[in-house]
Amino acid sequence: MRITIFFIFLCSLFSKHTFSQCQTTQHSTHISICDSYLPYIWHNVAYVSPGTYIYRLTNAAGCDSIDILNLNVKHSSSSNTQVSVCNFDLPYTWNGLVFNGTGSQTAHFINAVGCDSLTTLTLHIKPSSTSNSSYVTCSSLLPFLWNGTAYSAAGTYTKKLINYYGCDSLATLNLSVASTSASSTSLSICASSFPYLWNGISCTQPGTYKANLFNYYGCDSTATLNLSLRPNKWEGSIDSSWENPGNWECGTVPDANTDVIINSGSVILDSDRSVRSLYINPNASLTITEGHQLNILN
């Protein structure tokens, strides 16, 4: 009986000693990495996402050992920017990169969490432009106003403007100046042609008439008409009678306001008549019948 109790006591001591020498250990690791470094290798295992991972080992005492990984994944970042500039802004410098024309380039940075940040710029070139305009203006309308500038003489002028895209626009003006003009016309008509219509003016008798017009360029033009009475020439195309209108160039029998010219042929006057003047060519003749007379006022 004593032997049994002692044996139980020894076993109890042995059991307590063994339990106290084999305790489980635990170790935690905190890792924070950028996503560009994934996968993360831990205990020969690849991890591609954040989380808490447990790995069981046996320690030197032969007891359990728990290794805990707390994996935090920080993210890289990227951005894209569109920029439009005029060609006179070239070369264009951005974050140390130089652009000489349209295109895309990427700059590398570190973001707020310490990971890669890729920023891409796409550069567009806006066009400059040129224009050429030709105008004709009257000298009476000078100065000529063009794009805010007054010009007082003909010539070629250039002005730098800004176009629709906000870029340089080189505008050229070819300015011609047209002068006012004047014309003078002398015209002789028969008395039967009065009143004579000229440029909207009714001319009722011989004289000088003026009309204010516009020339080819739209400028002032002064026209002058010197209107005179044409002498009534003898044609004698029907017979020899002075009184027959068909024998006269103007188609009328001369009166006291008429200058008469007889260059050829024989003319017979059978009535009393008056004329302003009379010229008879030596090769022509005028016969005034008995009892009648021709009065020449000049």
Side-chain angles (χ1 to χ4, degrees), residues 277-298:
S277 66
L278 174 65
Y279 170 79
I280 301 175
N281 191 293
N283 296 322
S285 65
L286 171 61
T287 300
I288 302 174
T289 60
E290 187 177 353
H292 299 288
Q293 65 180 9
L294 175 64
N295 295 318
I296 301 173
L297 304 179
N298 280 347

Side-chain angles (χ1 to χ4, degrees), residues 70-85:
N70 294 301
L71 183 62
N72 177 49
V73 177
K74 299 179 295 184
H75 295 286
S76 302
S77 58
S78 63
S79 64
N80 288 279
T81 303
Q82 305 282 334
V83 173
S84 295
V85 300

Side-chain angles (χ1 to χ4, degrees), residues 114-170:
C115 296
D116 288 341
S117 174
L118 304 180
T119 302
T120 299
L121 172 67
T122 300
L123 187 68
H124 303 279
I125 306 302
K126 299 182 291 185
S128 299
S129 58
T130 59
S131 65
N132 197 301
S133 302
S134 296
Y135 291 97
V136 178
T137 188
C138 303
S139 56
S140 59
L141 298 179
L142 292 175
F144 181 78
L145 188 63
W146 178 73
N147 285 317
T149 302
Y151 299 91
S152 299
T156 298
Y157 303 95
T158 301
K159 192 163 189 179
K160 188 175 180 181
L161 306 172
I162 301 298
N163 65 13
Y164 172 82
Y165 301 100
C167 298
D168 284 347
S169 173
L170 192 64

Side-chain angles (χ1 to χ4, degrees), residues 28 31 57 104 155 191 212 225 251 257:
S28 295
I31 298 294
L57 303 168
S104 296
N212 295 318
L225 173 65
N257 296 314

Side-chain angles (χ1 to χ4, degrees), residues 239-262:
D239 51 32
S240 298
S241 174
W242 176 290
E243 287 80 7
N244 191 337
N247 287 324
W248 296 97
E249 180 185 36
C250 289
T252 59
V253 177
D255 59 19
N257 296 314
T258 307
D259 297 315
V260 175
I261 297 176
I262 301 174

